[in-house]
Amino acid sequence: MSEDKSRPPQDRPWESGWAPDTTRAPGTRRLWLAGALALATITACATAITVMNSEADQADSRAAEPTTLSSSAPGGLISFATPSATGTPKPGADRRRPSPTPTTSAPTATPSPKPEKKAPKPPKASSTPSKHPKPPSSPGISIRSVNFPDRYWRVSDGYVRLDQIGSGQREDATFQRVAGLSDSSCYSFTTADGRYLRHRSFVLVANSDDGSSLFRQDATFCPRFWSRSGTLTLESVNYRGRFLRHRNFQLRLDPLENSHQYYSDASFQIVSGLG
């Protein structure tokens, strides 16, 4: 059979069992061309988008860079351009809206509200007390002998004597009576310059307080009153049974004697200060 006779007409393949060749789809060349065109279109679009994004990033970086002011700007300050919201600068925006020139003047501070009332001032601190504080100012007292009523205790060269007081000796014969340094129920006596009367080797002297316990005891005397009004004797707080008395007009601390002379020499009256 000839080749033409073995192939039935292609418009009726089912009549003789012949089927067309499907190994090659019709229009394959056109499909390849369409695919290549689509791929080229996608590549071009991606390239364009990449280029646009790169240009936008460069524009943002240029907008963020500081630009120096002209030489007429005071202080040589630096102004920073503010990028637009879209990221691309508008053409001619710098001509329509020039950047304001910064000034060197300091901003005016808002005054704080004044308080309605001033805070009270703290009280002034008292002056530092001296090592030997003086007793509070008062008229003072003087101590007069009972058996020599014209003679008073008086400090002379550091010792306490029983003297007649002249016009220039009144301050030496005036004392302050304060609470006892060793016993507050007893007495201590201070001079005008802040010294205390104390017994030393049983002799009454005027000394500065050295802060010792012995000094406080030596300078403390407890009153013992007699029946006669205003008359007393002064007993030592650390030598019980010894009283202050004058002997040869010198004040001493002597043990008690049961004699009229001793009672007379050891009896005194506290009167208003002579000074």
Side-chain angles (χ1 to χ4, degrees):
M1 178 181 292
S2 64
E3 190 175 344
D4 293 337
K5 289 181 180 180
S6 63
R7 295 182 62 186
Q10 294 182 4
D11 55 348
R12 293 195 301 271
W14 55 85
E15 293 181 357
S16 59
W18 176 87
D21 186 6
T22 59
T23 58
R24 182 180 178 184
T28 303
R29 185 178 301 171
R30 288 192 296 272
L31 291 175
W32 276 104
L33 291 175
L37 181 59
L39 181 60
T41 302
I42 293 173
T43 304
C45 292
T47 304
I49 292 173
T50 303
V51 172
M52 291 177 65
N53 290 337
S54 176
E55 292 179 355
D57 293 340
Q58 292 178 2
D60 291 340
S61 62
R62 287 196 300 270
E65 291 178 356
T67 57
T68 57
L69 297 177
S70 61
S71 58
S72 60
L77 299 179
I78 296 176
S79 174
F80 292 88
T82 303
S84 62
T86 59
T88 56
K90 296 181 180 180
D94 55 345
R95 293 192 299 271
R96 294 194 305 269
R97 201 173 192 180
S99 176
T101 303
T103 59
T104 57
S105 59
T108 304
T110 304
S112 58
K114 296 182 179 180
E116 296 181 359
K117 294 183 179 180
K118 294 182 178 179
K121 295 181 178 180
K124 294 182 178 179
S126 59
S127 58
T128 304
S130 60
K131 184 177 179 180
H132 309 291
K134 294 184 179 181
S137 59
S138 66
I141 61 165
S142 293
I143 302 175
R144 182 173 60 191
S145 171
V146 169
N147 55 349
F148 290 91
D150 60 341
R151 290 178 178 265
Y152 298 81
W153 288 16
R154 172 178 172 261
V155 177
S156 177
D157 297 328
Y159 293 91
V160 183
R161 295 179 49 82
L162 200 63
D163 287 343
Q164 293 176 334
I165 306 303
S167 58
Q169 300 172 339
R170 292 180 176 273
E171 186 177 15
D172 296 336
T174 303
F175 308 94
Q176 295 288 340
R177 179 178 55 184
V178 297
L181 296 180
S182 180
D183 186 348
S184 60
S185 64
C186 300
Y187 298 156
S188 289
F189 303 95
T190 63
T191 62
D193 56 4
R195 291 179 295 171
Y196 284 85
L197 302 185
R198 62 162 306 182
H199 65 83
R200 189 176 63 189
S201 299
F202 302 116
V203 177
L204 192 63
V205 297
N207 280 165
S208 298
D209 185 5
D210 60 8
S212 65
S213 175
L214 178 61
F215 184 95
R216 291 193 296 270
Q217 293 177 4
D218 289 349
T220 303
F221 304 93
C222 297
R224 301 290 183 253
F225 294 92
W226 298 105
S227 59
R228 287 177 290 180
S229 176
T231 301
L232 56 81
T233 59
L234 295 167
E235 183 181 12
S236 171
V237 76
N238 56 343
Y239 286 93
R240 297 295 185 178
R242 286 179 175 264
F243 295 81
L244 288 176
R245 65 169 292 188
H246 66 85
R247 188 168 59 187
N248 297 326
F249 303 119
Q250 179 75 50
L251 270 296
R252 299 178 54 85
L253 193 64
D254 282 352
L256 178 63
E257 297 177 7
N258 190 14
S259 66
H260 178 75
Q261 183 66 44
Y262 183 94
Y263 293 144
S264 297
D265 291 345
S267 298
F268 304 97
Q269 287 181 329
I270 295 179
V271 297
S272 299
L274 299 177

